[in-house]
């Protein structure tokens, strides 16, 4: 009963803060992620979550093989470096209009034909992304470890973006990187 009350108070508190700040904070978002959302804005907080989930997915798929069980120690070892600076683009930029900004790998975008719109390439953009990743790792490590242990098949094939950013933190309405709306049932099949 105390647990339910604490959970409800946390959710109500998050909604009150969100309303007061004019932001759309998901009740699953941690206080650290809520702080980042207040600072970055809702759309960039969602983007930061998605880039972090992508880094976790790459770290897990690089270290865990399909036929071996994802033990908690192997999962922790796999994701411990997921938020290192080297895991993100060397030149990270923010592009787009206010409220619809997104993080982009500047070099990759230039190879594909350039970027359009309001481009910002301050070093703080990468720092914000690394801080968001570190916050997510700190606050959701146990959820990542638990979920990875339940996945049948490739751990890197699981839609971590949807799980962490849409379902768990509710910072995003849809995944930004991995999968699309057609993979709704895929997540259930992998467990």
């Amino acid at each position: 009963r105390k647990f339910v009350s604490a959970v409800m108070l946390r959710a109500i508190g998050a909604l009150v803060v969100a309303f007061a700040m004019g932001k759309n904070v998901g009740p699953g978002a941690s206080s650290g992620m809520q702080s980042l959302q207040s600072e970055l804005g809702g759309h960039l907080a969602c983007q930061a979550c998605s880039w972090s989930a992508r880094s976790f997915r790459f770290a897990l798929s690089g270290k865990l093989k399909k036929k071996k069980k994802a033990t908690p120690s192997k999962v922790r070892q796999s994701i411990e470096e997921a938020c290192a600076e080297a895991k993100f683009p060397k030149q990270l930029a923010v592009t787009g209009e206010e409220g619809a900004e997104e993080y982009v790998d500047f070099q990759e975008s230039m190879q594909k034909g350039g970027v359009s719109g309001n481009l910002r390439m301050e070093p703080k953009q990468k720092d914000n992304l690394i801080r968001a990743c570190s916050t997510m790792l700190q606050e959701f490590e146990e959820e990542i470890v638990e979920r990875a242990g339940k996945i049948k098949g490739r751990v890197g094939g699981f839609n971590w973006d949807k799980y962490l950013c849409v379902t768990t933190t509710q910072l995003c309405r849809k995944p930004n990187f991995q999968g699309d709306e057609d993979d709704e049932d895929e997540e259930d099949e992998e467990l």
Side-chain angles (χ1 to χ4, degrees):
R1 200 172 182 138
K2 288 181 182 179
F3 174 75
V4 173
S5 297
V7 170
M8 288 183 68
L9 285 174
R10 181 177 171 212
I12 291 168
L15 292 173
V16 167
V17 168
F19 181 77
M21 300 179 131
K23 305 289 183 198
N24 184 20
V25 179
S30 66
S31 59
M33 292 307 292
Q34 289 173 5
S35 173
L36 279 168
Q37 187 176 33
S38 295
E39 182 182 332
L40 301 177
H43 204 267
L44 274 183
C46 167
Q47 285 280 308
C49 183
S50 293
W51 277 84
S52 300
R54 180 182 192 213
S55 187
F56 298 146
R57 181 173 64 93
F58 288 161
L60 289 166
S61 65
K63 300 257 182 167
L64 300 175
K65 302 301 174 202
K66 182 178 181 177
K67 295 182 180 187
K68 296 192 179 193
K69 180 158 174 64
T71 63
S73 63
K74 287 180 184 176
V75 173
R76 282 188 182 88
Q77 183 181 15
S78 297
I79 60 174
E80 70 183 13
E81 294 295 318
C83 300
E85 184 175 354
K87 301 297 181 184
F88 296 101
K90 286 184 177 104
Q91 289 187 298
L92 186 74
V94 172
T95 186
E97 300 303 317
E98 189 173 333
E101 306 98 334
E102 60 182 18
Y103 287 109
V104 295
D105 179 338
F106 182 74
Q107 293 300 321
E108 186 179 292
S109 294
M110 293 307 290
Q111 289 175 355
K112 291 180 179 178
V115 293
S116 61
N118 185 13
L119 179 69
R120 298 187 312 262
M121 286 189 60
E122 305 120 338
K124 76 174 186 175
Q125 305 303 343
K126 191 170 184 178
D127 294 342
N128 288 340
L129 192 55
I130 292 168
R131 192 164 40 107
C133 183
S134 298
T135 299
M136 285 188 64
L137 181 58
Q138 180 182 0
E139 306 223 5
F140 297 106
E141 181 178 7
E142 289 308 312
E143 285 88 340
I144 294 169
V145 169
E146 183 179 321
R147 180 57 61 137
K150 292 179 180 179
I151 296 171
K152 296 176 184 166
R154 292 181 321 106
V155 176
F158 181 73
N159 194 332
W160 290 100
D161 189 2
K162 181 178 177 182
Y163 173 69
L164 290 169
C165 305
V166 178
T167 306
T168 303
T169 64
Q170 299 176 3
L171 290 169
C172 302
R173 291 187 178 144
K174 63 180 184 167
N176 288 298
F177 284 116
Q178 188 181 3
D180 56 28
E181 293 178 22
D182 293 336
D183 72 352
E184 295 263 339
D185 298 327
E186 183 180 310
E187 186 172 305
D188 294 333
E189 291 172 10
E190 292 179 353
L191 299 179

